[in-house]
Amino acid sequence: MFVADRAPSLKTVLLATGVVLTMAMGVRHGFGFWMQPISQAHGWTRETYSLAQAMQNLMWGAIGPFAGMAADRFGTMRVVLVGAVSYAAGLFWMALVKDPTLFVLGTGLFVGLGLACTAFGAVSGIIGRVAPAEKRSWAFGISGAAGSLGQFMLMPIEQQLISAVGWQNAFYILGVLLVALMVPMAFYLREPAVTHAHGPQQSIREAAAEALSNRSFLLLVAGYFVCGFQLVFIGVHMPAYLKDKGIANPGVAVMALALIGLFNIFGSYYAGKLGGRLPKRYLLSAIYFARALAITLFLLAPLMPITVYLFAAAMGVLWLSTVPLTNGIIAGVFGVKHMSMLAGIVFFSHQLGSFLGVWLGGYLYALQGNYDVVWGITIGLGVMAGLVNLPINERPLARMQAA
């Protein structure tokens, strides 16, 4: 029931992981819509909800390497099943719990675990193992596009659910939908037991030590920190920022976040495709530099719906396009046996950045009444990440070349 005689086809893996990623990333990207209704219902400041989202991102990152280890060792299917149940439990928790401390801790644990077991890190291993080397970057691009499709599809649905049935019932509906769609897809991700990887047989400890002593791996870790800071700050705080600046129509924020998802379908796909032809490190640097430029132009331009939409489209192209390139470098340099675990380690840095970005946005807003300083930080970090990725060495390790 839990172990397959042979590996699933690449098409099956991409379809199944696509559905899982669509739900996991689509629901997660809409959490910004709940900031104001939950804060008003419980009498909290924005800092409380921001801290809950920051804790969720931190736990997602902290659990990610272990979820990756479990996926590499015991199979992706088991990990996705655990993640689906935990994710749904987290949504129910957010609907029911009124104590701010319990809300922050429960959101962090349940939703963080759910995302760690259903998002990119957990499923990257099976994609890397099933896809031929020449199609690997493209396959990672397809999975990134699936996460973006979820954002595009679910943004309007989540906002409409909140308006139509209330913020609590919206959580209940999404929790049930997560389980109903993810659980059946998990069974298509069964893999053969144990010896399905090629190359030298490293232990988990040896693989982690090798990566953490590698300069290029550490540069990827540093760049991914910036990615997390930028994306989660914008994703969670954008609706409130627009309202503060006089754009009271919630439809503008909904459309902006949906446009990010729509354009990132193309950004992720073509980043993966280009990653098979051009040096991935240069593409990563270009993405970070372009983000810094897009944010700068957005802040300098007059704030109106059209400039918001243009900014959203530009950021959408750049949003998750780092994922296929980063995973492609990891697979190319270190191999695919411990792919999910190594991707989880890199992603932990991403989530440390996410924690800081979403929490700092709420903290500085409560302190200063605006987001000006945080916007400035996102620009500076973007330039730094662009520089950090330039010297990455994409050549396989000597042991991989020998193999």
Side-chain angles (χ1 to χ4, degrees):
M1 178 178 179
F2 295 106
V3 179
D5 295 328
R6 59 182 180 178
S9 68
L10 178 58
K11 180 179 179 181
T12 298
V13 167
L14 290 178
L15 286 173
T17 58
V19 173
V20 171
L21 288 168
T22 293
M23 293 304 302
M25 301 304 292
V27 172
R28 176 251 183 183
H29 277 300
F31 281 145
F33 295 134
W34 277 272
M35 175 183 285
Q36 290 178 315
I38 288 181
S39 298
Q40 291 170 1
H42 298 319
W44 299 340
T45 66
R46 291 183 191 178
E47 185 181 0
T48 300
Y49 187 81
S50 296
L51 182 60
Q53 294 303 303
M55 183 63 69
Q56 168 220 119
N57 282 282
L58 182 63
M59 294 304 296
W60 178 6
I63 298 170
F66 301 99
M69 291 178 197
D72 289 332
R73 183 170 182 179
F74 303 112
T76 306
M77 184 202 68
R78 290 180 172 89
V79 173
V80 171
L81 289 174
V82 171
V85 174
S86 181
Y87 205 147
L91 297 181
F92 295 156
W93 184 275
M94 293 173 74
L96 293 170
V97 175
K98 298 179 181 179
D99 179 81
T101 302
L102 291 177
F103 182 87
V104 169
L105 294 176
T107 299
L109 178 60
F110 292 121
V111 180
L113 174 62
L115 284 164
C117 293
T118 59
F120 295 110
V123 304
S124 62
I126 190 171
I127 296 172
R129 287 187 288 271
V130 170
E134 66 275 11
K135 290 186 176 181
R136 195 173 290 145
S137 182
W138 169 82
F140 286 136
I142 292 291
S143 67
S148 306
L149 178 64
Q151 183 177 353
F152 173 67
M153 290 173 55
L154 291 179
M155 290 292 99
I157 293 174
E158 290 172 54
Q159 198 275 335
Q160 288 298 320
L161 279 175
I162 294 172
S163 300
V165 301
W167 63 269
Q168 288 176 304
N169 289 328
F171 277 136
Y172 298 142
I173 293 171
L174 289 172
V176 172
L177 191 60
L178 273 172
V179 173
L181 291 177
M182 285 187 179
V183 169
M185 291 299 104
F187 287 95
Y188 288 99
L189 300 175
R190 290 176 294 175
E191 300 179 79
V194 188
T195 58
H196 56 274
H198 301 286
Q201 299 301 304
Q202 288 180 305
S203 68
I204 290 174
R205 184 189 297 272
E206 289 169 343
E210 178 184 66
L212 291 172
S213 64
N214 183 278
R215 178 172 177 264
S216 294
F217 187 82
L218 295 178
L219 293 176
L220 277 179
V221 167
Y224 235 29
F225 174 90
V226 175
C227 183
F229 187 101
Q230 293 174 324
L231 301 194
V232 179
F233 165 68
I234 293 172
V236 172
H237 289 280
M238 175 67 83
Y241 171 76
L242 295 178
K243 189 172 183 180
D244 291 342
K245 291 296 185 179
I247 301 181
N249 181 4
V252 175
V254 174
M255 179 61 73
L257 294 177
L259 283 172
I260 289 175
L262 175 63
F263 279 85
N264 192 41
I265 296 172
F266 304 103
S268 294
Y269 175 78
Y270 283 105
K273 193 169 184 178
L274 288 173
R277 302 176 181 177
L278 302 174
K280 299 176 184 64
R281 62 189 183 278
Y282 294 151
L283 295 172
L284 280 172
S285 292
I287 289 167
Y288 287 117
F289 285 135
R291 282 187 191 173
L293 178 61
I295 294 170
T296 300
L297 294 176
F298 175 61
L299 296 177
L300 292 176
L303 190 63
M304 58 185 71
I306 185 62
T307 57
V308 174
Y309 298 151
L310 290 173
F311 171 67
M315 287 301 297
V317 173
L318 308 168
W319 197 255
L320 293 178
S321 51
T322 57
V323 174
L325 299 173
T326 300
N327 286 340
I329 290 175
I330 294 171
V333 174
F334 300 99
V336 298
K337 179 180 179 182
H338 297 287
M339 174 73 207
S340 290
M341 185 266 290
L342 294 179
I345 292 174
V346 176
F347 194 70
F348 180 44
S349 174
H350 184 284
Q351 294 311 97
L352 287 175
S354 299
F355 175 90
L356 187 60
V358 70
W359 171 77
L360 196 62
Y363 174 75
L364 290 180
Y365 183 89
L367 196 66
Q368 301 175 338
N370 60 64
Y371 292 109
D372 295 348
V373 173
V374 189
W375 280 119
I377 293 172
T378 63
I379 295 171
L381 288 176
V383 174
M384 184 200 78
L387 295 172
V388 158
N389 278 273
L390 286 173
I392 287 175
N393 185 348
E394 298 181 40
R395 290 193 298 272
L397 294 181
R399 64 170 178 79
M400 295 297 298
Q401 293 173 334

